[in-house]
């Protein structure tokens, strides 16, 4: 495995479901990110983790809950989502928080019904 | 709020044509990245520019950073269908500390064979 991987690639969930997105990076990086990509909007940064510590939370609703158990893995736990949360959720990593060259996973296409 | 404007928003051209897309801001960048995102995938880093006036080439792609470090352009020579995708620029603004990258909305390029 190389680079940044994300599972699942596609997810359909009801508003009352609980699901988790998983991201794994094999680059030896120390910073990891969750982004939301919606149509006609720029990438929206959701969370930043540096050395497993959350360093940024961009006013994301509490129905999104991140978890970073180690520097290689990042999760996004989802519960009671809304249809407007349907989007492509991208994970990225960088060498450290101050390094701006980010490497992205393929994303999880989430549809909330 | 520091914004990053990309133009044009959409571009459809014939194979073999040349094109230029732009990325502009009213603020100064300490560094700027260009990414390409293909359908169903995450963005892939193409280049990073950091010095005003810098020009970098990647095969048929030429990236230029403005002298004042407020703008950048991407020129593609003899476009091919494989160049189709969403081209994103992302900037780290000067004096922004560890503030993460700001992304533009992108230019969606379609190259028709």
């Amino acid at each position: 495995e190389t680079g940044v991987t994300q599972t699942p690639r596609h997810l359909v969930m009801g508003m009352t479901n609980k699901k988790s997105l998983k991201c794994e990076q094999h680059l030896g990086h120390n910073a990891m990110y969750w982004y939301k990509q919606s149509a006609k909007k720029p990438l929206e940064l959701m969370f930043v983790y540096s050395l497993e510590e959350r360093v940024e939370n961009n006013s994301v609703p509490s129905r999104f809950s991140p978890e970073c158990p180690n520097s290689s893995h990042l999760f996004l736990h989802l519960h009671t989502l809304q249809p407007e949360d349907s989007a492509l959720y991208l994970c990225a990593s960088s060498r450290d928080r101050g390094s701006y060259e980010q490497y992205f996973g393929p994303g999880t296409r989430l549809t909330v019904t | 709020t520091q914004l990053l404007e990309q133009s044009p928003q959409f571009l459809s051209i014939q194979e073999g044509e040349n094109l230029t897309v732009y990325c502009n801001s009213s603020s100064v960048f300490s560094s700027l990245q260009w990414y390409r995102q293909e359908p169903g995938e995450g963005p892939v880093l193409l280049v990073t520019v950091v010095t005003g006036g810098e020009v970098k080439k990647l095969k048929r792609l030429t990236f230029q950073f403005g002298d004042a470090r407020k703008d950048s352009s991407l020129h593609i020579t003899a476009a091919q269908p494989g160049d189709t995708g969403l081209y994103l620029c992302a900037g780290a603004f000067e004096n922004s500390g560890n503030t993460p990258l700001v992304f533009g909305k992108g230019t969606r390029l379609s190259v028709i064979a």
Side-chain angles (χ1 to χ4, degrees), chain A residues 9 33 35 37 40-45 48 56 58 88 90 97-107 109, chain B residues 9 30-31 33 35 37 40-45 47-48 86 88 92-93 96-101 103-105:
Chain A
R9 294 292 308 274
Y33 311 78
Y35 286 89
Q37 188 175 34
K40 301 181 181 179
K41 286 186 177 181
L43 262 69
E44 299 173 66
L45 180 66
V48 181
E56 189 134 351
N58 268 5
L88 182 68
L90 291 161
R97 189 185 171 200
S99 173
Y100 291 108
E101 295 185 343
Q102 297 191 3
Y103 295 81
F104 286 84
R109 173 67 62 186
Chain B
Q9 190 176 354
S30 60
S31 73
Q33 288 84 43
Y35 294 82
Q37 183 177 18
E41 298 296 330
V44 174
L45 179 65
V47 76
T48 298
L86 179 67
L88 296 164
F93 288 99
S96 63
N98 273 329
T99 304
L101 286 177
F103 282 82
K105 292 183 181 181

Side-chain angles (χ1 to χ4, degrees), chain A residues 5-10 20-24 34 75 106-108:
Chain A
T5 58
Q6 288 187 243
T7 54
R9 294 292 308 274
H10 301 273
S20 295
L21 310 184
K22 179 183 175 182
C23 174
E24 185 173 359
W34 278 117
F75 294 89
T108 295

